[in-house]
Amino acid sequence: MATMTNEKRYALAWIDEHARRFSDFHLRIWNYAEPAWREYKSAKAYCELLRAEGFALEEGSGEMPTAFCARWGKSGPVLGAYAEYDAVPGNSQQVVPYRAPRAGLHPWAAGHTDPHSAFGTTALAGVLAAKAAMERFGLTGTLLLFGEPAEKVCGSKPVHAAKGYYDGADAFISYHPHFTNTAIRDTQCGSYWSAVFTFETTEPEKWIDKSLIPTTHTSHAAARCPGAIDALCLMYTTTKYTKEAMFPHTGTWTLNEFVLVGGDATSDNLPPRFSQIQYAWRSPSLGIQQQIYTVLEKNARHVAAMTGCRVAVRWVTKTRVGLTNHAMADLTFGNMELVGTPRFSDEARDFARQIQANLGLEPMENPFSTTTSG
């Protein structure tokens, strides 16, 4: 059973003392609202703060411009955490209790949803609080904080892992915002794969035997190669048709698609030359992941042949299935019990009541569950 030691009490008091500082930092990241692989201002803000706190910084870690690796300490156990700070395209929003895109921006600009602005800030606060307690009580150890961009496409963590950045760590804390203080014991996020399918019309002149055309002056009216846009559309619809046949829905698995390039404008009866669609899928086993990809790969190969294109696959990410760690989960949960339920101010409760009213609901005296909040 976890006990409230002087070191833990000091760390918690340190967080309370610096709460306004971290709240302001969170709003800074919120307002940047930079999407995947474009989090330049956000990453710079983290690096400047961590450097001022005495951390050694590697900016652009893993050859990713908006990633970083921060290290403090030289001996003892190596403890790690990570910050995410990417925003989600199409989710622009103001800090108001009703739906409103940020002023001056396109309504479908990026915005924070989970929000990762709070995700990264909370991880940062935890690491700095641990550092403060270690300095105060003379505890040995090494702290790592990774800047992990592009989380929404699972972009950076597999790169950091593949390049050895996690090697030698004794323990990592994976935090995510939630309306309770708890630890996940047996559930893990499964395996995440994502790949981009690129269709290119490289030899449209071979689509039709031009010797069959009765005149050489009908190029604008002659049938042309279907091209890359047709390939993309067929890939999209074919995958929708075959989705139910990929694997039975006896367990949780998901498949989502994103159109990256829809083909450039053409003229003079020329086929679109280039298109891209990205698929991302999660499931609880590598076997299911491979089964889903097998269907996707067959679909891509066939629609490319149908439209006179060639297809190429570029992997964005591939992760293994997560591993549960009961010892760490139990230790974390015990410490969460010491911390207690989340505490919300009157201002937060009033904001939540405004949200309820704007959703057409009857505002509650306490909009937050009494069993999970104080």
Side-chain angles (χ1 to χ4, degrees):
M1 178 178 294
T3 58
M4 181 61 78
T5 64
N6 290 333
E7 292 85 352
K8 294 176 184 177
R9 190 175 290 107
Y10 181 88
L12 293 173
W14 189 93
I15 290 175
D16 288 339
E17 180 184 349
H18 292 84
R20 173 51 55 186
R21 175 191 179 194
F22 291 114
S23 179
D24 292 343
F25 185 83
H26 160 252
L27 284 177
R28 183 178 176 186
I29 303 301
W30 166 281
N31 286 320
Y32 287 150
E34 298 169 297
W37 303 123
R38 295 293 182 267
E39 315 94 327
Y40 292 102
K41 294 179 181 178
S42 302
K44 182 179 180 182
Y46 274 95
C47 290
E48 288 177 346
L49 190 154
L50 288 161
R51 188 174 286 110
E53 290 286 340
F55 281 73
L57 261 295
E58 180 188 350
E59 299 184 57
S61 52
E63 299 182 86
M64 296 176 286
T66 54
F68 65 82
C69 176
R71 177 183 291 265
W72 179 85
K74 297 181 179 179
S75 61
V78 179
L79 309 176
Y82 58 87
E84 297 172 359
Y85 33 83
D86 60 319
V88 183
N91 284 270
S92 177
Q93 52 189 304
Q94 299 179 36
V95 187
V96 292
Y98 50 87
R99 180 177 295 179
R102 291 165 60 198
L105 295 179
H106 192 280
W108 301 118
H112 283 286
T113 54
D114 293 53
H116 287 179
S117 51
F119 184 142
T121 303
T122 305
L124 171 70
V127 168
L128 293 184
K131 170 181 174 288
M134 291 168 70
E135 289 179 320
R136 172 67 175 79
F137 292 95
L139 304 177
T140 60
T142 299
L143 298 176
L144 299 175
L145 181 66
F146 284 90
E148 300 288 10
E151 190 279 338
K152 285 298 183 183
V153 294
C154 196
S156 64
K157 295 188 191 74
V159 176
H160 273 143
K163 295 189 175 184
Y165 280 86
Y166 299 156
D167 294 354
D170 292 292
F172 257 83
I173 292 292
S174 176
Y175 163 81
H176 200 286
H178 199 256
F179 59 89
T180 61
N181 284 341
T182 190
I184 304 300
R185 195 170 192 269
D186 287 311
T187 304
Q188 40 81 18
C189 295
S191 174
Y192 185 111
W193 291 9
S194 183
V196 174
F197 293 83
T198 298
F199 298 97
E200 297 175 278
T201 314
T202 57
E203 298 178 308
E205 68 279 0
K206 294 184 178 180
W207 176 254
I208 191 171
D209 183 355
K210 293 184 178 180
S211 68
L212 301 175
I213 301 176
T215 173
T216 59
H217 302 292
T218 58
S219 59
H220 293 298
R224 66 161 174 83
C225 179
I229 292 182
D230 289 304
L232 185 149
C233 291
L234 283 170
M235 180 67 181
Y236 179 87
T237 55
T238 302
T239 299
K240 289 293 186 183
Y241 277 116
T242 56
K243 185 174 181 178
E244 294 300 316
M246 289 180 176
F247 196 79
H249 285 277
T250 53
T252 301
W253 64 271
T254 60
L255 174 69
N256 295 286
E257 69 283 327
F258 324 91
V259 175
L260 303 179
V261 180
D264 297 324
T266 62
S267 60
D268 293 335
N269 208 31
L270 297 174
R273 296 299 189 102
F274 183 78
S275 67
Q276 287 184 319
I277 184 169
Q278 180 176 342
Y279 285 93
W281 59 104
R282 293 179 185 264
S283 79
S285 78
L286 295 181
I288 298 175
Q289 292 293 86
Q290 182 59 50
Q291 170 64 21
I292 293 171
Y293 175 71
T294 297
V295 177
L296 290 173
E297 190 274 333
K298 287 181 179 178
N299 290 348
R301 179 159 37 87
H302 287 299
V303 302
M306 292 167 61
T307 55
C309 295
R310 71 179 183 186
V311 61
V313 179
R314 182 172 183 177
W315 285 97
V316 176
T317 190
K318 260 187 177 184
T319 71
R320 296 182 182 275
V321 177
L323 300 176
T324 57
N325 187 325
H326 288 173
M328 283 290 292
D330 291 344
L331 178 63
T332 301
F333 185 78
N335 282 308
M336 286 292 187
E337 287 184 307
L338 297 178
V339 173
T341 58
R343 299 185 298 274
F344 296 97
S345 65
D346 290 338
E347 180 184 8
R349 296 181 197 280
D350 181 62
F351 194 88
R353 283 190 285 268
Q354 293 179 58
I355 293 176
Q356 290 178 320
N358 289 323
L359 290 173
L361 304 174
E362 183 68 27
M364 302 167 62
E365 180 179 354
N366 180 14
F368 303 105
S369 170
T370 57
T371 60
T372 59
S373 65

